[in-house]
């Protein structure tokens, strides 16, 4: 079974109304279909990916790209996720047991099993090891990039924006000018956004992660044209690896949207 058919035949709970419906219904007339299969909705990658999608929402709409996102969790987790990220609830679906991830053969993460440890305890151990880069290639490099900045990445926080990232005091976007200027990702800029995400999840842990069994599960990105042909895919291999090009995660759209359309 090809990937598009899997999506076409998958019914999941839609966060906006709680209905169980085909996850890509309503996308038939779109020029492109972008399906994001996320890890836990409380995962760093899920929150950061949604931030990028919202940042580029206007451009995606003008390009005729329909977006559907699936995350591990329940509807309460989905509603909280949409409240924080402002991702449209009608385009978010939840998969409580990562069944779609299994169908797509996405990376389940490190899976060490320590004797006498429960499934939840083992999941935590494996997650901690992955955060240290074990079984999660590129994670530490990406963490350090968030602190040191990246001149090949765009500026992430506007000068007039105020970021609340506990335990830090509110930070004005103009503060990051002091770290090197503007017009690119400044030192500590991305790390501050990630700290904000972490504070949000830890403060609402039971809502975001109702079942920690799937803490290590990774996701994937799939782009289709209007003939149901797979144009692009990315399968996450580690934490903070939700894109092939993390400095501009949606850059894969540029080349794929320029291909010849079928009317």
């Amino acid at each position: 079974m090809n990937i598009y058919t899997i999506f076409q035949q998958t019914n999941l709970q839609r966060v906006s109304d709680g209905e169980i419906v085909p996850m890509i219904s309503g996308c038939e007339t779109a020029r492109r279909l972008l399906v994001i299969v996320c890890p836990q909705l409380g995962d760093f990658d899920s929150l950061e990916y949604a931030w990028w999608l919202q940042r580029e929402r206007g451009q995606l709409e003008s390009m005729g790209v329909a977006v559907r996102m699936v995350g591990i969790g329940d509807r309460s987790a989905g509603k909280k996720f949409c409240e924080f990220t402002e991702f449209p609830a009608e385009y978010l679906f939840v998969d409580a047991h990562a069944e779609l991830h299994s169908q797509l053969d996405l990376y389940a993460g490190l899976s060490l099993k320590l004797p006498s440890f429960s499934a939840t305890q083992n999941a935590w151990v494996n997650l901690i090891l992955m955060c240290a880069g074990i079984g999660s290639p590129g994670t530490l490099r990406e963490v350090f990039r968030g602190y040191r900045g990246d001149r090949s990445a765009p500026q992430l926080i506007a000068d007039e924006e105020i970021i609340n990232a506990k335990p830090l005091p509110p930070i004005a976007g103009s503060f990051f000018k002091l770290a090197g200027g503007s017009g690119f990702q400044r030192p500590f800029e991305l790390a501050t956004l990630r700290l904000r995400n972490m504070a949000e999840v830890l403060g609402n842990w039971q809502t975001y992660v109702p079942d920690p069994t799937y803490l290590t599960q990774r996701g994937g990105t799939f782009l289709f044209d209007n003939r149901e042909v797979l144009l692009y895919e990315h399968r996450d291999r580690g934490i903070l690896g939700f894109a092939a090009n993390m400095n501009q995660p949606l850059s894969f759209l540029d080349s794929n949207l320029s291909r010849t359309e079928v009317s």
Side-chain angles (χ1 to χ4, degrees), residues 59 63 223 248 250-259:
Q59 183 177 9
M63 291 177 172
L223 178 68
Q248 296 195 55
L250 297 178
S251 59
F252 66 89
L253 290 170
D254 296 338
S255 59
N256 286 294
L257 286 174
S258 65
R259 297 189 184 185

Side-chain angles (χ1 to χ4, degrees), residues 117-130:
F117 275 47
S118 68
T120 296
Q121 290 170 325
N122 275 312
W124 272 107
V125 170
N126 285 309
L127 179 67
I128 291 169
L129 291 173
M130 289 180 70

Side-chain angles (χ1 to χ4, degrees), residues 107 109-112 125-140 216 237-239:
Y107 180 42
L110 200 63
S111 56
L112 298 177
V125 170
N126 285 309
L127 179 67
I128 291 169
L129 291 173
M130 289 180 70
C131 288
I134 300 172
S136 185
T139 296
L140 292 181
T216 60
R237 296 304 303 168
I239 295 171

Side-chain angles (χ1 to χ4, degrees), residues 3-5 7-8 23-36 60 63-69 91 93 221-232 252-253 257 261:
I3 294 174
Y4 188 90
T5 302
F7 291 142
Q8 197 172 41
M23 58 171 285
I24 61 171
S25 60
C27 300
E28 294 80 9
T29 61
R31 291 172 56 197
R32 296 286 187 267
L33 169 62
L34 176 60
V35 181
I36 313 296
L60 288 167
M63 291 177 172
V65 180
V67 179
R68 294 294 183 270
M69 179 181 279
Y91 301 151
F93 295 78
T221 296
F222 305 89
L223 178 68
F224 302 89
D225 68 9
N226 57 355
R227 298 170 297 178
E228 305 177 3
V229 174
L230 180 65
L231 300 176
Y232 174 86
F252 66 89
L253 290 170
L257 286 174
E261 298 284 345

